[in-house]
Amino acid sequence: MVEENTQEDSIELKTFLSYLDRYNDDMIGICKPSTEVERNRKIRRYGRVFAKLAQEGKIVNCDPAVMTERDVRLFIAELRDVEGLQTSTQERALALMNSYFQCAGNYGAVLIARRKLKISVPKKEVEVLTDEEVAIIEAVLDNLPGWRMTVIQGVVIIALATGIRPGEIIRLGVNDLDLVNKTVFVRFPKGNGKYQDPHLVGILREDLIPKVEEYLIMRTAHLAKAGVETDALFPNLRNPGTYRYSDNALRQGMRKLSRICGFPFSTKTFRATFCTTVLDQDFDLLPSVSFQMGHSNEQTTRDFYNACKMARSRAKTRLIYSSVMRPDMKKEASERIRLARANGLLRHKDP
């Protein structure tokens, strides 16, 4: 079903969304039901971009069945030049629009546009945290205000304790946690029904179980205050359809936590950190780590670990370099610049 919207949809947007119910029917058995809301949100968002282009007179029609490859190229230009989206996001937008347009019977527009655009997506580097950075994050988690950041705290704790994927974490139900047996039931794994089925993984950092218990107490109080009942482990009361946070909302919260901590990371970073930390200690644990991470085979885990080792080296380099630039050294540098200017070695103002 089409998501509810707080504002009246324009005629152009209604035209674009007219195939959404049919598209969702086509996705049954292909995509996980849990992804439908997020997928619809993206289609609606991209529909607004097309509607804006139509209202500005840049494209003639917002009907996916008859739109042209030129319309698609203008859409990508809007995402790139106005909204500043990266090439990887542009490519994902094209992939989603291709399947949506094909549902409307338009099999060529997006494919031709993609060939002409020649979007080159750089390989994304893996991020890994040092032990010191993990300690900083855990210390910061105890002082985060507001429910949204409490959710981020819970997500980080589960990520550190299990190494499972962000999408798997955000879709957990409260009954998927078994703190007595120290397990988490991954109900919606990546590749569900293809190379992965719902399965149990262990809570490997038992020292974090009290933190999970604290989060559950805060969750219960939050829901009781709002008078809401939901199975969602990380409930979002602003989304009464599923009461779950979207992947995008999770990324926004994690970016805020990253800024607070003072160094870059995302939810995926904890997964890479888990893999590297364990295999650095004992590489014979590769089969166990591969299962815990939900990889289709051990070679995937091996390749991922090799990328993680390089990322950890970069993280340590960053930490060492930043620690050298201490405030007292900056003060000394400022004094040297002052003396250089006094001696005529530097101008007071650039020409």
Side-chain angles (χ1 to χ4, degrees), residues 123 126 275 283 286 295 297-309:
K123 190 173 181 180
V126 178
C275 175
F283 195 77
L286 178 67
H295 284 158
N297 55 67
E298 292 179 16
Q299 186 59 46
T300 300
T301 311
R302 191 187 303 271
D303 294 341
F304 185 67
Y305 173 61
N306 289 333
C308 288
K309 285 197 297 183

mmCIF file of all heavy atoms in Angstrom, residues 123 126 275 283 286 295 297-309:
data_model
loop_
_atom_site.group_PDB
_atom_site.id
_atom_site.type_symbol
_atom_site.label_atom_id
_atom_site.label_comp_id
_atom_site.label_asym_id
_atom_site.label_seq_id
_atom_site.Cartn_x
_atom_site.Cartn_y
_atom_site.Cartn_z
ATOM 1 N N LYS A 123 34.652 1.851 -5.238
ATOM 2 C CA LYS A 123 34.527 0.804 -4.229
ATOM 3 C C LYS A 123 34.592 1.417 -2.840
ATOM 4 O O LYS A 123 35.501 2.184 -2.521
ATOM 5 C CB LYS A 123 35.653 -0.223 -4.388
ATOM 6 C CG LYS A 123 35.461 -1.456 -3.529
ATOM 7 C CD LYS A 123 36.498 -2.515 -3.846
ATOM 8 C CE LYS A 123 36.275 -3.761 -3.002
ATOM 9 N NZ LYS A 123 37.273 -4.813 -3.294
ATOM 10 N N VAL A 126 36.088 -0.185 3.709
ATOM 11 C CA VAL A 126 35.584 -0.691 4.986
ATOM 12 C C VAL A 126 36.147 0.174 6.113
ATOM 13 O O VAL A 126 37.291 0.617 6.057
ATOM 14 C CB VAL A 126 36.007 -2.163 5.180
ATOM 15 C CG1 VAL A 126 35.536 -2.687 6.533
ATOM 16 C CG2 VAL A 126 35.453 -3.020 4.057
ATOM 17 N N CYS A 275 34.507 -8.595 13.312
ATOM 18 C CA CYS A 275 35.219 -9.574 12.485
ATOM 19 C C CYS A 275 36.726 -9.480 12.705
ATOM 20 O O CYS A 275 37.402 -10.491 12.923
ATOM 21 C CB CYS A 275 34.878 -9.336 11.014
ATOM 22 S SG CYS A 275 35.787 -10.379 9.857
ATOM 23 N N PHE A 283 42.557 -16.994 13.981
ATOM 24 C CA PHE A 283 41.993 -17.130 12.637
ATOM 25 C C PHE A 283 41.286 -18.470 12.451
ATOM 26 O O PHE A 283 40.483 -18.631 11.533
ATOM 27 C CB PHE A 283 43.092 -16.971 11.582
ATOM 28 C CG PHE A 283 42.555 -16.744 10.193
ATOM 29 C CD1 PHE A 283 42.059 -15.508 9.829
ATOM 30 C CD2 PHE A 283 42.529 -17.778 9.269
ATOM 31 C CE1 PHE A 283 41.544 -15.290 8.555
ATOM 32 C CE2 PHE A 283 42.021 -17.579 7.993
ATOM 33 C CZ PHE A 283 41.528 -16.329 7.639
ATOM 34 N N LEU A 286 37.421 -18.759 11.952
ATOM 35 C CA LEU A 286 36.790 -18.270 10.726
ATOM 36 C C LEU A 286 35.409 -18.884 10.477
ATOM 37 O O LEU A 286 34.458 -18.149 10.177
ATOM 38 C CB LEU A 286 37.707 -18.525 9.527
ATOM 39 C CG LEU A 286 37.155 -18.097 8.159
ATOM 40 C CD1 LEU A 286 37.025 -16.585 8.081
ATOM 41 C CD2 LEU A 286 38.047 -18.618 7.034
ATOM 42 N N HIS A 295 27.372 -14.806 6.519
ATOM 43 C CA HIS A 295 27.932 -14.862 5.172
ATOM 44 C C HIS A 295 27.549 -16.172 4.496
ATOM 45 O O HIS A 295 27.383 -17.203 5.157
ATOM 46 C CB HIS A 295 29.459 -14.731 5.225
ATOM 47 C CG HIS A 295 29.922 -13.334 5.484
ATOM 48 N ND1 HIS A 295 31.166 -13.028 6.002
ATOM 49 C CD2 HIS A 295 29.297 -12.137 5.300
ATOM 50 C CE1 HIS A 295 31.290 -11.718 6.120
ATOM 51 N NE2 HIS A 295 30.176 -11.163 5.702
ATOM 52 N N ASN A 297 29.404 -17.972 2.555
ATOM 53 C CA ASN A 297 30.503 -18.941 2.595
ATOM 54 C C ASN A 297 31.692 -18.316 3.312
ATOM 55 O O ASN A 297 31.745 -17.097 3.535
ATOM 56 C CB ASN A 297 30.895 -19.385 1.179
ATOM 57 C CG ASN A 297 31.236 -18.209 0.279
ATOM 58 O OD1 ASN A 297 32.234 -17.521 0.489
ATOM 59 N ND2 ASN A 297 30.385 -17.954 -0.714
ATOM 60 N N GLU A 298 32.665 -19.145 3.650
ATOM 61 C CA GLU A 298 33.819 -18.677 4.423
ATOM 62 C C GLU A 298 34.734 -17.769 3.604
ATOM 63 O O GLU A 298 35.427 -16.921 4.167
ATOM 64 C CB GLU A 298 34.598 -19.875 4.964
ATOM 65 C CG GLU A 298 33.836 -20.662 6.021
ATOM 66 C CD GLU A 298 34.609 -21.862 6.528
ATOM 67 O OE1 GLU A 298 35.839 -21.918 6.284
ATOM 68 O OE2 GLU A 298 34.001 -22.752 7.148
ATOM 69 N N GLN A 299 34.752 -17.944 2.280
ATOM 70 C CA GLN A 299 35.608 -17.097 1.453
ATOM 71 C C GLN A 299 35.155 -15.636 1.526
ATOM 72 O O GLN A 299 35.978 -14.719 1.522
ATOM 73 C CB GLN A 299 35.586 -17.577 -0.003
ATOM 74 C CG GLN A 299 36.559 -16.829 -0.913
ATOM 75 C CD GLN A 299 38.005 -16.932 -0.450
ATOM 76 O OE1 GLN A 299 38.478 -18.018 -0.103
ATOM 77 N NE2 GLN A 299 38.712 -15.813 -0.427
ATOM 78 N N THR A 300 33.842 -15.426 1.613
ATOM 79 C CA THR A 300 33.322 -14.061 1.770
ATOM 80 C C THR A 300 33.864 -13.437 3.046
ATOM 81 O O THR A 300 34.286 -12.270 3.064
ATOM 82 C CB THR A 300 31.783 -14.080 1.808
ATOM 83 O OG1 THR A 300 31.286 -14.639 0.590
ATOM 84 C CG2 THR A 300 31.227 -12.674 1.977
ATOM 85 N N THR A 301 33.869 -14.214 4.123
ATOM 86 C CA THR A 301 34.389 -13.720 5.401
ATOM 87 C C THR A 301 35.888 -13.462 5.312
ATOM 88 O O THR A 301 36.396 -12.471 5.848
ATOM 89 C CB THR A 301 34.110 -14.738 6.520
ATOM 90 O OG1 THR A 301 32.735 -15.130 6.466
ATOM 91 C CG2 THR A 301 34.408 -14.147 7.888
ATOM 92 N N ARG A 302 36.599 -14.342 4.617
ATOM 93 C CA ARG A 302 38.048 -14.181 4.463
ATOM 94 C C ARG A 302 38.370 -12.882 3.708
ATOM 95 O O ARG A 302 39.242 -12.109 4.108
ATOM 96 C CB ARG A 302 38.619 -15.384 3.708
ATOM 97 C CG ARG A 302 40.148 -15.478 3.713
ATOM 98 C CD ARG A 302 40.582 -16.610 2.786
ATOM 99 N NE ARG A 302 39.980 -17.871 3.175
ATOM 100 C CZ ARG A 302 40.511 -18.718 4.049
ATOM 101 N NH1 ARG A 302 41.656 -18.415 4.629
ATOM 102 N NH2 ARG A 302 39.900 -19.855 4.324
ATOM 103 N N ASP A 303 37.643 -12.632 2.613
ATOM 104 C CA ASP A 303 37.860 -11.408 1.831
ATOM 105 C C ASP A 303 37.504 -10.173 2.651
ATOM 106 O O ASP A 303 38.199 -9.147 2.593
ATOM 107 C CB ASP A 303 37.019 -11.439 0.555
ATOM 108 C CG ASP A 303 37.457 -12.539 -0.404
ATOM 109 O OD1 ASP A 303 38.602 -13.025 -0.266
ATOM 110 O OD2 ASP A 303 36.651 -12.917 -1.279
ATOM 111 N N PHE A 304 36.417 -10.275 3.398
ATOM 112 C CA PHE A 304 35.982 -9.156 4.239
ATOM 113 C C PHE A 304 37.033 -8.856 5.305
ATOM 114 O O PHE A 304 37.354 -7.699 5.584
ATOM 115 C CB PHE A 304 34.637 -9.507 4.887
ATOM 116 C CG PHE A 304 34.022 -8.389 5.683
ATOM 117 C CD1 PHE A 304 33.568 -7.239 5.063
ATOM 118 C CD2 PHE A 304 33.881 -8.489 7.056
ATOM 119 C CE1 PHE A 304 32.993 -6.209 5.790
ATOM 120 C CE2 PHE A 304 33.308 -7.468 7.795
ATOM 121 C CZ PHE A 304 32.860 -6.325 7.157
ATOM 122 N N TYR A 305 37.605 -9.904 5.884
ATOM 123 C CA TYR A 305 38.624 -9.733 6.922
ATOM 124 C C TYR A 305 39.868 -9.044 6.362
ATOM 125 O O TYR A 305 40.452 -8.163 7.004
ATOM 126 C CB TYR A 305 38.991 -11.091 7.510
ATOM 127 C CG TYR A 305 40.162 -11.064 8.472
ATOM 128 C CD1 TYR A 305 40.116 -10.310 9.639
ATOM 129 C CD2 TYR A 305 41.321 -11.795 8.206
ATOM 130 C CE1 TYR A 305 41.184 -10.281 10.518
ATOM 131 C CE2 TYR A 305 42.392 -11.775 9.080
ATOM 132 C CZ TYR A 305 42.322 -11.020 10.233
ATOM 133 O OH TYR A 305 43.380 -10.987 11.098
ATOM 134 N N ASN A 306 40.272 -9.415 5.154
ATOM 135 C CA ASN A 306 41.441 -8.783 4.540
ATOM 136 C C ASN A 306 41.217 -7.286 4.334
ATOM 137 O O ASN A 306 42.122 -6.470 4.546
ATOM 138 C CB ASN A 306 41.764 -9.456 3.206
ATOM 139 C CG ASN A 306 42.321 -10.856 3.386
ATOM 140 O OD1 ASN A 306 42.925 -11.163 4.411
ATOM 141 N ND2 ASN A 306 42.106 -11.719 2.405
ATOM 142 N N ALA A 307 39.995 -6.922 3.927
ATOM 143 C CA ALA A 307 39.672 -5.498 3.772
ATOM 144 C C ALA A 307 39.649 -4.805 5.129
ATOM 145 O O ALA A 307 40.068 -3.649 5.264
ATOM 146 C CB ALA A 307 38.319 -5.344 3.079
ATOM 147 N N CYS A 308 39.184 -5.522 6.150
ATOM 148 C CA CYS A 308 39.114 -4.951 7.498
ATOM 149 C C CYS A 308 40.503 -4.672 8.066
ATOM 150 O O CYS A 308 40.711 -3.676 8.770
ATOM 151 C CB CYS A 308 38.361 -5.894 8.437
ATOM 152 S SG CYS A 308 36.583 -5.976 8.146
ATOM 153 N N LYS A 309 41.455 -5.554 7.775
ATOM 154 C CA LYS A 309 42.815 -5.355 8.296
ATOM 155 C C LYS A 309 43.415 -4.058 7.771
ATOM 156 O O LYS A 309 44.058 -3.309 8.513
ATOM 157 C CB LYS A 309 43.700 -6.544 7.909
ATOM 158 C CG LYS A 309 43.437 -7.796 8.714
ATOM 159 C CD LYS A 309 44.575 -8.791 8.596
ATOM 160 C CE LYS A 309 44.749 -9.281 7.179
ATOM 161 N NZ LYS A 309 45.807 -10.314 7.084
#
